[in-house]
Amino acid sequence: MSDNCVFCRIAAGELPTTLLYDGANTVAFRDLHPQAPTHVLVIPKQHHPDVAALASADPAVAGELLTTAAAVAQAEGLAADGFRLIFNTGRYAGQEVFHVHAHVLGGAPLGPLLSR
Ligand code: DGP
């Protein structure tokens, strides 16, 4: 746990959030600034800066992250019409919080993958 990591603090229950799932290794909560009708973040409890670091250090938890994201999509009613899963990774992707997180987005047509 990193004291100055906002997502570590959410995972530890130290900061308020709209928690949707709290498992042994992963947590899901609503994004503070939703970019779609449904916008959920899924994180591992353990701190890893991005998805590449997580996949390298702990492939099992990386898999759990995907399982949790799929379960969240199902629970939020996104499975039938589809959803988008995004891992912003690094500067060019615009990553702002350096604790790996999957964005689960859905609830309406999401448009093209990239805005130009
Ligand atoms: P990214 O650009 O991929 O690093 O996205 C970070 C996301 O995290 C962004 O959509 C806003 C969200 N976020 C930042 N701080 C908080 C917070 O304290 N609580 C919640 N629920 N979401 C946050």
Side-chain angles (χ1 to χ4, degrees):
M1 154 127 188
S2 162
D3 283 346
N4 50 18
C5 170
V6 66
F7 287 178
C8 280
R9 296 190 65 201
I10 285 175
E14 292 179 5
L15 291 179
T17 190
T18 311
L19 204 59
L20 300 179
Y21 175 79
D22 186 3
N25 297 309
T26 60
V27 171
F29 51 96
R30 295 203 191 281
D31 195 287
L32 200 56
H33 305 298
Q35 304 293 315
T38 301
H39 187 171
V40 177
L41 300 175
V42 183
I43 66 169
K45 287 188 169 177
Q46 209 174 35
H47 184 86
H48 298 279
D50 59 39
V51 70
L54 171 63
S56 168
D58 199 336
V61 170
E64 268 190 62
L65 201 63
L66 295 182
T67 304
T68 303
V72 163
Q74 179 76 38
E76 291 288 305
L78 305 181
D81 288 324
F83 59 93
R84 188 169 286 160
L85 200 59
I86 294 176
F87 289 92
N88 287 325
T89 304
R91 187 163 58 96
Y92 275 17
Q95 184 177 1
E96 292 175 352
V97 178
F98 284 82
H99 179 129
V100 55
H101 49 282
H103 295 261
V104 182
L105 297 149
L110 296 170
L113 181 58
L114 300 175
S115 60
R116 296 271 176 210

